[in-house]
Amino acid sequence: MPENNEQEKKVEYLELIYDLIFVYIVGRNNSILHHVEGGFVTIEAFLLYIFCTLAVIQIWSFSTIYINIHGRNSIRDHIFLFINMYLLYHMANGIGHNWRENFYEFSIAWALILINIAIQYFLEIRNQKGKEWAVIVLKQQGYIILAEVVLIIVHILVYYLSGVSIAYVPVLFGIIISFVTGNIFTMFPVDFSHLSERAMLYVVFTFGEMIIVIASYFEGGFNLNTLFFSIVGFLIVVGLFLSYEMIYNRIVDRDMTTNGLTYILVHVFLILSLNNISIALEFMKEEEVSLLPKIIFLTASIIIYFICIFVLGRYSKKRCGFNFKFIAKMIGVTIVFAILMILLREYMYINIIITVVYVGCIFLVLYKKSSNNNS
């Protein structure tokens, strides 16, 4: 088993710029859901949005793991990052309501980015000569990524022949195979402090998108209605942000030894849920969006976000761990929240207050839990 680096890896400036491009792409992808038909987005548009978002965040996860374990902030690393940054703009150009017009640009860029990352794994083999365990892991990860590239090519061919997109096949393959083959990476622990910081920064950038969204809650003149919705909208975002802050700063043990795969995969869905919450908050002000679908969308997105938060509890410090009794209580509170949101969907003022109370309660629970570490 390799030894941990004695010197803590720092998040480099270029990594931050790289992450910002992902936030831009995912924000652009949100535009797919801005076209409402029959009171809500179509199933096709919603599935397209989900799988495009997952595909983009998955690229981020692959490259983040590579940089964390093998990155040296070298000229070669920078060149590969810049190539991916350029290709990501082509993916962004292929995203939107008229995605069929730019299908090939998006898909080819997607495949080339993964090939780029796979090549980095194979090139790294030269630096790990004599370390059989390292070579095995590098080859396996490289072949996994290339296998997804093959599925993307199949996806392109299927679309060319039938006009049907099967983007979900390569995306689901990447997620499932990461879980299935995760055990081999226990021989290759990551720099968890660096990995968790990268994930945190991506989450913070995603919250930036949400902050822009709630700016619309302050429009409409200075009156009681605007004041009410601006306050509660702001409190929801603050509660969500502080809940993650409790996990990152006070509960997660960033000095632990781990392969980090589950941590990153959970963040894939956590970031997806945050984007969904941003869209749901936009929908709440749109009268053309049917009431029940947008209430369900907001409720489900917030619940998924907190599920991800609690799953991250597996990385907690010993005195901050989430036991069965604690999880059972949180499930009970969440069920009550969901029921009240559906039953009271006709009363927007009460509905949004319930959301504030639920988010605030979860934050207070996490705050109390994190305080155990200092007691």
Side-chain angles (χ1 to χ4, degrees):
M1 179 181 292
E3 298 177 0
N4 291 328
N5 294 331
E6 294 182 3
Q7 186 176 2
E8 180 181 321
K9 184 187 288 285
K10 301 295 183 181
V11 174
E12 301 294 339
Y13 176 72
L14 186 56
E15 292 177 72
L16 299 180
I17 302 300
Y18 187 58
D19 289 351
L20 281 173
I21 293 180
F22 284 96
V23 176
Y24 158 69
I25 294 175
V26 173
R28 182 179 171 89
N29 192 40
N30 292 349
S31 65
I32 295 175
L33 299 185
H34 291 169
H35 300 270
V36 178
E37 297 179 9
F40 200 62
V41 296
T42 63
I43 294 296
E44 181 188 33
F46 184 74
L47 291 177
L48 174 67
Y49 156 76
I50 291 292
F51 287 110
C52 281
T53 303
L54 287 176
V56 171
I57 303 176
Q58 189 180 77
I59 289 171
W60 173 83
S61 68
F62 284 152
S63 56
T64 296
I65 290 289
Y66 175 82
I67 292 171
N68 180 273
I69 300 176
H70 305 292
R72 297 178 176 84
N73 197 29
S74 64
I75 293 177
R76 190 189 80 182
D77 289 344
H78 289 182
I79 291 173
F80 276 96
L81 274 182
F82 280 126
I83 291 173
N84 271 4
M85 289 164 68
Y86 172 78
L87 291 171
L88 282 166
Y89 276 107
H90 282 288
M91 286 191 73
N93 194 51
I95 290 174
H97 190 60
N98 59 341
W99 62 273
R100 292 183 183 277
E101 298 177 8
N102 301 300
F103 170 86
Y104 296 107
E105 181 178 7
F106 177 92
S107 300
I108 292 172
W110 180 13
L112 289 175
I113 289 171
L114 292 183
I115 290 172
N116 188 338
I117 298 172
I119 290 173
Q120 289 178 274
Y121 276 100
F122 291 123
L123 290 178
E124 181 61 24
I125 292 174
R126 295 182 300 177
N127 297 321
Q128 302 293 337
K129 287 183 178 179
K131 298 179 181 179
E132 185 177 352
W133 50 265
V135 172
I136 291 173
V137 173
L138 287 166
K139 286 183 177 179
Q140 176 173 294
Q141 190 62 16
Y143 287 136
I144 286 173
I145 295 173
L146 288 181
E148 184 165 342
V149 172
V150 171
L151 291 176
I152 294 172
I153 294 172
V154 172
H155 159 59
I156 295 172
L157 292 175
V158 169
Y159 181 81
Y160 176 77
L161 295 173
S162 66
V164 176
S165 171
I166 56 168
Y168 57 89
V169 173
V171 171
L172 291 179
F173 170 81
I175 293 173
I176 294 171
I177 201 67
S178 296
F179 277 113
V180 172
T181 63
N183 288 337
I184 194 171
F185 285 87
T186 57
M187 300 187 300
F188 223 142
V190 298
D191 185 325
F192 191 52
S193 178
H194 171 268
L195 188 72
S196 59
E197 186 177 2
R198 280 292 303 277
M200 177 273 294
L201 289 170
Y202 197 170
V203 170
V204 170
F205 292 152
T206 307
F207 268 112
E209 287 286 319
M210 193 180 297
I211 289 171
I212 293 172
V213 166
I214 67 165
S216 64
Y217 281 62
F218 291 78
E219 299 171 355
F222 190 74
N223 52 58
L224 289 178
N225 188 66
T226 301
L227 191 62
F228 172 80
F229 281 103
S230 63
I231 289 174
V232 293
F234 182 74
L235 288 176
I236 290 171
V237 175
V238 169
L240 294 170
F241 179 80
L242 289 179
S243 295
Y244 184 84
E245 190 268 343
M246 287 295 106
I247 284 287
Y248 175 75
N249 273 336
R250 306 185 64 172
I251 293 179
V252 168
D253 181 4
R254 286 184 280 151
D255 295 322
M256 73 186 307
T257 300
T258 173
N259 63 16
L261 286 177
T262 301
Y263 193 84
I264 285 296
L265 285 170
V266 170
H267 272 81
V268 168
F269 292 98
L270 187 147
I271 292 166
L272 175 63
S273 66
L274 280 176
N275 279 284
N276 289 347
I277 293 171
S278 295
I279 296 170
L281 289 174
E282 284 189 274
F283 282 163
M284 293 302 286
K285 296 196 57 147
E286 301 293 337
E287 294 183 358
E288 65 267 26
V289 181
S290 298
L291 192 57
L292 182 59
K294 67 183 178 183
I295 289 295
I296 292 175
F297 190 46
L298 176 64
T299 304
S301 299
I302 291 176
I303 290 174
I304 292 171
Y305 172 75
F306 281 119
I307 288 174
C308 292
I309 287 286
F310 290 127
V311 172
L312 292 178
R314 65 174 292 181
Y315 295 93
S316 65
K317 300 167 186 175
K318 290 184 178 179
R319 284 181 289 181
C320 296
F322 301 153
N323 55 33
F324 177 78
K325 184 178 180 181
F326 173 83
I327 295 297
K329 286 182 179 179
M330 291 301 96
I331 291 174
V333 171
T334 299
I335 291 174
V336 172
F337 164 67
I339 292 174
L340 289 176
M341 289 289 283
I342 300 301
L343 292 179
L344 300 174
R345 62 185 180 276
E346 301 289 344
Y347 307 97
M348 186 63 67
Y349 288 92
I350 298 176
N351 215 272
I352 200 164
I353 287 176
I354 291 171
T355 304
V356 172
V357 171
Y358 174 70
V359 171
C361 286
I362 297 294
F363 160 68
L364 291 175
V365 167
L366 290 172
Y367 176 80
K368 183 178 178 181
K369 198 72 176 173
S370 67
S371 298
N372 295 337
N373 189 51
N374 300 318
S375 59

